[in-house]
Amino acid sequence: MRVLVTGAAGFMGSHLVDSLVGSGHEVFGVDDMSGGFWRNINPKSNFTQLDLRDQARADSFISNTKPELLFHLAADATEGRSQFTPVNCVQRNLMAYLNVLVPCIREGLKKVVLVSSMSVYGDQRPPFSEEMPRSPVDVYGVSKASMEHITEILSAVHSFNYTIIRPHNVYGERQNIADPYRNVVGIFINALLNDRHFFIYGDGAQKRAFTNIADFTPYLLRAGFDPMTDREIINVGPREEVTINHLAEMVLKVFFPQGVRVELIPVHLPDRPREVKEAFCTTHKAERLLGYRTTVDLETGLHRMAGWARELGPQQPRYLVDGLELVTDQVPLVWRNAANKPALVGQAL
Ligand SMILES: NC(=O)c1ccc[n+]([C@@H]2O[C@H](COP(=O)([O-])OP(=O)(O)OC[C@H]3O[C@@H](n4cnc5c(N)ncnc54)[C@H](O)[C@@H]3O)[C@@H](O)[C@H]2O)c1
């Protein structure tokens, strides 16, 4: 199979490429390196640096490679920031996806596995099950919901298969811990590596379920090849939810089993706009169609990730404050303050 993975230098994409290469597939990877790392790229894959927002280049790349199977993971996944970068969010999610999907269909694509998000459920009452309607409440969720919906429509008209996977707070080795806008586990760990306290938005009673990368990649892979998953939407993630306060305690315990220094106690900030209070899902469908089961509990996973992050070392958080499209008093204070510290500000979006 000629397989294309977008976002191949990213966290989940690079783990997937490793598994595909290990299974003997001819693997092509693309990534524009906006959030990916060269160290993540599998040397046995055919990697091309490509910004999928560039329609002409995406088109010519697909004409040359003619993938039979597409795993689409490339994204700007900064959900909390998307209210302040709506143009960037739609371009990097919906438009970049169409720029790769459309030429793939033209070149005879057999199947796409779209990595979507639990954000499409919005603030409905959890646990989220796949029968619930799409009802996103933030810009990122809207972009993912549109990607899903357009996939269903194009599949019905143009006869290719698809599986939509909705992951749930995946964490683990290779995650971008320098991104201050997303990946709560990574943000907490990186703050402690930098000998700083981390922040918790709101009261910390928000509930989430966390998936170790080892409990995600095998199921994503399977979705590409198992016809049972054709034209299905599947949640992939554990049922066990924890509060952000509890997650914070667990991370602190990994670093400071004897008790945390007072200056590293987390600081609470006001809620971020549009952040849903509770987000976790049912797993029946993933169990039935993918054989899903949780094998790495959160405590074990946090120890593993902390061990990897310690080896990597503390990372400088990269705020993209110059790139915010809407700078209003709704922008979280930490992000606004970072604008006054040029050393922390990365390239514009
Ligand atoms: N990690 C999670 O908890 C989680 C949860 C739900 C959904 N997802 C989805 O899973 C996918 C992978 O997420 P991840 O955590 O590995 O993120 P990631 O940021 O590590 O990977 C995304 C990759 O996409 C690349 N990219 C961004 N814009 C691009 C463009 N225009 N052209 C080419 N490449 C581009 C980035 O450089 C990055 O390497 C994303 O679609 C994300 O929305 C992730």
Side-chain angles (χ1 to χ4, degrees):
M1 269 262 194
R2 289 165 72 80
V3 186
L4 173 61
V5 177
T6 68
F11 166 49
M12 288 152 61
S14 66
H15 283 278
L16 175 67
V17 169
D18 289 355
S19 295
L20 284 162
V21 167
S23 317
H25 296 283
E26 186 180 7
V27 185
F28 295 84
V30 295
D31 200 298
D32 73 341
M33 308 310 285
S34 58
F37 297 92
W38 290 102
R39 62 175 182 261
N40 288 349
I41 293 168
N42 187 310
K44 292 188 181 145
S45 65
N46 304 288
F47 179 77
T48 303
Q49 185 171 3
L50 172 64
D51 185 340
L52 294 170
R53 293 174 299 178
D54 184 336
Q55 190 180 4
R57 274 203 70 206
D59 223 275
S60 108
F61 175 80
I62 298 299
S63 306
N64 291 330
T65 48
K66 302 186 192 325
E68 299 165 272
L69 173 60
L70 166 65
F71 286 92
H72 183 72
L73 291 93
D76 170 7
T78 55
E79 182 173 4
R81 194 184 63 185
S82 64
Q83 283 52 256
F84 307 99
T85 56
V87 177
N88 177 75
C89 177
V90 171
Q91 285 175 342
R92 282 195 181 270
N93 294 321
L94 178 58
M95 292 313 299
Y97 177 50
L98 293 182
N99 285 347
V100 71
L101 179 65
V102 169
C104 278
I105 298 170
R106 233 171 16 226
E107 296 295 341
L109 182 76
K110 293 195 170 87
K111 178 163 184 175
V112 57
V113 179
L114 172 62
V115 178
S116 181
S117 161
M118 184 174 52
S119 62
V120 301
Y121 292 113
D123 56 8
Q124 297 176 80
R125 195 187 167 92
F128 302 140
S129 78
E130 293 86 345
E131 294 79 42
M132 289 177 163
R134 288 185 271 259
S135 182
V137 296
D138 60 35
V139 176
Y140 170 74
V142 170
S143 74
K144 288 286 189 183
S146 311
M147 291 161 73
E148 291 190 356
H149 200 165
I150 291 176
T151 304
E152 292 166 349
I153 292 170
L154 294 183
S155 160
V157 176
H158 300 287
S159 314
F160 62 91
N161 274 318
Y162 69 85
T163 303
I164 291 166
I165 297 291
R166 291 178 178 161
H168 297 243
N169 287 293
V170 187
Y171 71 98
E173 297 89 328
R174 296 190 197 162
Q175 188 152 50
N176 184 354
I177 62 171
D179 187 338
Y181 300 108
R182 62 179 291 241
N183 302 333
V184 60
V185 176
I187 290 174
F188 286 4
I189 287 178
N190 193 39
L192 298 179
L193 288 177
N194 277 289
D195 207 30
R196 295 195 202 115
H197 65 76
F198 49 79
F199 297 97
I200 295 175
Y201 291 104
D203 62 7
Q206 304 95 307
K207 285 186 183 158
R208 299 288 183 273
F210 294 91
T211 313
N212 189 268
I213 187 69
D215 284 335
F216 181 74
T217 313
Y219 306 111
L220 181 61
L221 182 71
R222 183 158 169 187
F225 301 96
D226 189 338
M228 287 259 289
T229 68
D230 286 351
R231 292 167 203 271
E232 297 284 357
I233 295 177
I234 312 173
N235 296 331
V236 176
R239 174 66 183 79
E240 301 79 28
E241 73 271 16
V242 295
T243 65
I244 295 298
N245 284 335
H246 188 51
L247 174 75
E249 280 165 25
M250 291 178 81
V251 173
L252 286 167
K253 205 162 167 210
V254 168
F255 277 82
F256 307 104
Q258 316 296 347
V260 59
R261 301 201 316 269
V262 67
E263 62 275 22
L264 292 181
I265 291 173
V267 171
H268 286 258
L269 292 175
D271 289 314
R272 283 182 301 186
R274 317 295 292 180
E275 181 172 345
V276 301
K277 278 285 169 210
E278 301 203 341
F280 47 93
C281 67
T282 60
T283 56
H284 311 303
K285 198 167 175 184
E287 285 161 17
R288 183 165 52 82
L289 295 180
L290 295 172
Y292 175 84
R293 65 191 181 92
T294 305
T295 63
V296 182
D297 63 66
L298 187 53
E299 193 183 337
T300 309
L302 291 178
H303 275 282
R304 279 189 200 169
M305 184 168 170
W308 164 81
R310 278 195 182 104
E311 273 179 32
L312 184 71
Q315 304 293 301
Q316 181 79 290
R318 289 181 68 238
Y319 289 88
L320 298 170
V321 176
D322 286 349
L324 295 185
E325 294 153 14
L326 291 165
V327 183
T328 66
D329 57 6
Q330 290 295 305
V331 175
L333 199 60
V334 187
W335 304 357
R336 263 185 282 156
N337 287 345
N340 303 322
K341 297 179 193 150
L344 294 183
V345 179
Q347 293 156 354
L349 294 165

